[in-house]
Amino acid sequence: MRDLVAQDLNDAWARDPLPSFLIGPDSALAATAWRFNGWGNMEFCNWDRDQHLSAELCRKLDIPCYRAPIFNEGGAIHVDGEGTILCTRATVLNSNRNPEKTESEVSEVLKQYLGAKKVIWLNEGYDQDETGGHIDVVAAFAAPGKVLHLSCDDPKDPNFRIFKENIEVLENSTDAKGRNIEVIRVPQPVPFYAEGRRLAFSYMNFYFANGAVILPVFGTERDDEAISILQ
């Protein structure tokens, strides 16, 4: 049985304003609270309550809360649990998040507040992603040394270039343990549109649970392939 903690929030997507949880050598639980400004002051959102969620949750859980000095969201980073962080320059280094900090400075903050050793930077995320290009829409660690990444086979699709460049960076990178990165390609879903805008639908925005993966599907022929790859 687990406790339910009620939180007053603005947006439904809790992954982004809530903290990143940490486990120490003694298995003690703590958390990093990132500064949150509504995905870079996006016009569609408010964050007067969301910006306080991390600290409030840590207080209710009675665990240490480390307040990081940068704007960041949970979906803007992905970790392998062995010292490697994945993220995109399009979000964490965007002028609407951390305009005064260099890539080197942000890397050091990420490593310090996540207990990591290395940051692998990709330039961009999914085209027209409302978050500005979160890593969690395009790539995720399947295991240390293995990264799942969306793939696109249509040269006319803006994501074709983005994904190709990202995969090249990954395949030429090593992780914090010095392992070469193995990239596992996952097809991007068939494009969906609303009000003339492409929606950032992705199989990558899944959730690891104990013994399971909770995966979004879209009722198209590509669902079965994505499910098979993740299984």
Side-chain angles (χ1 to χ4, degrees), residues 25-57:
D26 56 356
S27 297
L29 186 65
T32 290
W34 308 103
R35 299 177 70 186
F36 183 75
N37 67 347
W39 299 277
N41 194 18
M42 290 291 186
E43 61 182 17
F44 61 81
C45 70
N46 297 310
W47 63 91
D48 58 308
R49 293 188 293 272
D50 285 352
Q51 64 183 327
H52 303 298
L53 287 177
S54 288
E56 290 175 1
L57 181 59

Side-chain angles (χ1 to χ4, degrees), residues 90-127:
T91 51
V92 191
L93 297 182
N94 197 301
S95 61
N96 62 19
R97 265 99 157 174
N98 300 294
E100 305 299 326
K101 294 191 180 297
T102 66
E103 180 175 315
S104 177
E105 290 171 335
V106 171
S107 293
E108 288 306 309
V109 171
L110 290 172
K111 289 187 286 186
Q112 179 182 1
Y113 282 84
L114 291 171
K117 299 295 183 182
K118 183 170 184 175
V119 181
I120 299 176
W121 289 98
L122 305 182
N123 279 329
E124 301 177 70
Y126 202 103
D127 180 58

Side-chain angles (χ1 to χ4, degrees), residues 208-213:
F208 280 122
N210 292 335
V213 173

Side-chain angles (χ1 to χ4, degrees), residues 135-158:
I135 193 70
D136 69 352
V137 184
V138 295
F141 283 103
K146 294 184 179 182
V147 174
L148 295 155
H149 197 291
L150 284 185
S151 64
C152 174
D153 57 8
D154 180 4
K156 296 180 181 179
D157 189 319

Side-chain angles (χ1 to χ4, degrees), residues 5 34 61 65-68 78 88 91 100 133 136 142 152 157 161 169 175 210 216 218 220-221:
V5 180
W34 308 103
L61 296 176
C65 180
Y66 303 108
R67 296 174 181 264
H78 207 271
T88 70
T91 51
E100 305 299 326
D136 69 352
C152 174
D157 189 319
R161 174 193 58 81
V169 170
D175 65 12
N210 292 335
F218 309 101
T220 75
E221 66 277 6

Side-chain angles (χ1 to χ4, degrees), residues 2-9 13-22 29-34 49-67 207:
R2 293 287 184 264
D3 293 332
L4 296 178
V5 180
Q7 291 284 96
D8 190 15
L9 73 167
W13 192 237
R15 171 187 287 180
D16 287 337
L18 286 180
S20 298
F21 289 97
L22 313 168
L29 186 65
T32 290
W34 308 103
R49 293 188 293 272
D50 285 352
Q51 64 183 327
H52 303 298
L53 287 177
S54 288
E56 290 175 1
L57 181 59
C58 290
R59 178 178 56 80
K60 289 179 179 179
L61 296 176
D62 192 25
I63 62 174
C65 180
Y66 303 108
R67 296 174 181 264
Y207 177 78

